[in-house]
Amino acid sequence: MRVGFLTNVLAESGVSDLKDLAAWGYENGFTDLEVGPSVDLKEDEVEKIKSSGTIDISALTYCRNFLDPNSEMAEYYKSNIIKRIELAGEFNIEKVLCSTGVSKDAYDGVRFNPMKSIEASVEFLKVMVEKAEENNVTLCIENCPLMGNIGISPYMWDEIFSRIDSDKLKLAYDPSHLIWQFIDPYIPILEFGHKIGHVHAKDTEINYTTLRRTGILFNPKNGEIDSSGWWRYRVPGLGELDWNKFIDHLNQVGFDGTISIEHEDPVWDGTQEKVKAGLIRGQKYLKQFI
């Protein structure tokens, strides 16, 4: 297994040039870059990094609601994900990470029914998968429920994979989202191991004191009905996940790809120095188990 990081958090803190991101990652012992949508993908820079033999660009990420009710935005998102798949194919970037899409009629007050979007989601997923197959790229579905996405649980993975049979369609497995949904983050690895193409290293901390007073739907921070406020994302080792057990399960199914730190920890945020320290802290913690 290799340890990389998603560029989003550094880009937000002011390091958004691809060359600078690659240089910092290599200097600090990371082997892979997962390049997010806020980084300009200049083809000459991509080519130079890919041929450098130092740090690899192993994934491009573009998670958007491809079924956005605003048809212009939906088409914009669709065209951008296709461009990234083509770019990945051109420069031998192994994976492209994506969401699926949620249609407007899937929402009913605070409830969200992903099955109401399954046919429309699969329709465009098939377009993405066909493009991935043409370009010898693996398309990996993220399991975050917060971005217009139905691929959020083992139940939904079964529904999607039963409709699309392709070795170029896999999962970007992120245990942090399973934790706050109270889904076991370990057992699905054994069930879907052959479909795990990428792993996000992100932890989740649950505030049980708040949860007992508010329940899962109420957010005391803003007084609104939603599913946050009683949990927060953390860098690996500072939340609920047993990373030794998690990585052991990955070893059991023969996963030897990238574990990419997705840093969204509010404690290690606010300045560029703290962001970098959070990434390095997560990397050091993971390496003891790999």
Side-chain angles (χ1 to χ4, degrees):
M1 297 183 209
R2 306 181 300 274
V3 179
F5 69 94
L6 175 57
T7 60
N8 287 1
V9 68
L10 272 180
E12 291 166 4
S13 71
V15 187
S16 58
D17 184 89
L18 186 59
K19 298 191 302 297
D20 294 339
L21 289 162
W24 182 86
Y26 177 65
E27 289 166 4
N28 288 278
F30 291 94
T31 61
D32 289 38
L33 284 180
E34 178 188 339
V35 182
S38 57
V39 175
D40 188 11
L41 291 166
K42 298 175 183 177
E43 295 192 10
D44 59 330
E45 292 181 1
V46 173
E47 185 174 21
K48 187 174 182 179
I49 293 167
K50 287 293 292 183
S51 62
S52 68
T54 55
I55 192 168
D56 189 25
I57 300 174
S58 60
L60 304 179
T61 295
Y62 191 75
C63 293
R64 296 291 186 270
N65 186 1
F66 302 114
L67 302 181
D68 193 291
N70 182 322
S71 59
E72 289 186 8
M73 291 306 301
E75 290 306 313
Y76 175 76
Y77 297 149
K78 289 177 178 179
S79 65
N80 272 303
I81 188 67
I82 295 300
K83 288 176 184 175
R84 279 167 172 76
I85 294 171
E86 292 173 340
L87 183 68
E90 182 178 356
F91 291 102
N92 195 31
I93 297 171
E94 181 184 356
K95 297 159 290 189
V96 173
L97 277 60
C98 69
S99 51
T100 57
V102 173
S103 56
K104 185 178 180 181
D105 62 358
Y107 292 95
D108 178 18
V110 299
R111 297 179 180 87
F112 161 51
N113 184 346
M115 286 302 293
K116 286 188 175 181
S117 296
I118 186 71
E119 300 306 330
S121 294
V122 165
E123 182 179 353
F124 185 60
L125 266 176
K126 287 180 177 178
V127 174
M128 287 192 279
V129 169
E130 183 178 359
K131 183 63 66 172
E133 290 172 340
E134 290 173 4
N135 287 273
N136 195 30
V137 170
T138 299
L139 191 72
C140 297
I141 302 171
E142 237 273 25
N143 55 286
C144 177
L146 304 176
M147 60 184 69
N149 189 21
I150 68 167
I152 60 176
S153 65
Y155 181 93
M156 292 307 302
W157 302 338
D158 273 333
E159 293 292 335
I160 292 169
F161 292 136
S162 70
R163 290 166 169 80
I164 304 176
D165 181 18
S166 173
D167 62 358
K168 294 300 183 184
L169 180 64
K170 295 191 176 183
L171 296 171
Y173 195 98
D174 188 330
S176 68
H177 308 303
L178 301 177
I179 290 169
W180 65 260
Q181 293 182 85
F182 293 95
I183 297 172
D184 187 295
Y186 313 105
I187 293 174
I189 296 173
L190 305 181
E191 181 182 357
F192 293 93
H194 65 296
K195 279 293 190 179
I196 297 176
H198 191 80
V199 173
H200 273 163
K202 187 167 62 179
D203 218 330
T204 295
E205 178 185 16
I206 294 177
N207 185 328
Y208 288 97
T209 300
T210 299
L211 178 61
R212 282 191 289 268
R213 290 180 59 81
T214 65
I216 63 172
L217 295 179
F218 176 65
N219 185 344
K221 294 179 181 178
N222 56 24
E224 296 179 357
I225 294 178
D226 64 21
S227 60
S228 64
W230 48 269
W231 60 269
R232 61 181 178 175
Y233 295 128
R234 303 302 307 271
V235 295
L238 295 176
E240 300 285 317
L241 196 73
D242 180 339
W243 287 92
N244 188 28
K245 180 177 180 179
F246 181 77
I247 291 173
D248 176 66
H249 277 56
L250 291 174
N251 279 321
Q252 288 185 51
V253 298
F255 178 80
D256 62 355
T258 302
I259 297 181
S260 181
I261 297 175
E262 184 181 14
H263 177 355
E264 295 182 0
D265 188 329
V267 177
W268 293 92
D269 199 0
T271 67
Q272 193 175 115
E273 290 72 24
K274 287 179 72 175
V275 165
K276 289 178 177 178
L279 284 168
I280 292 170
R281 180 188 179 107
Q283 177 209 57
K284 288 181 177 178
Y285 186 83
L286 289 174
K287 281 189 172 180
Q288 67 183 312
F289 305 119
I290 296 176

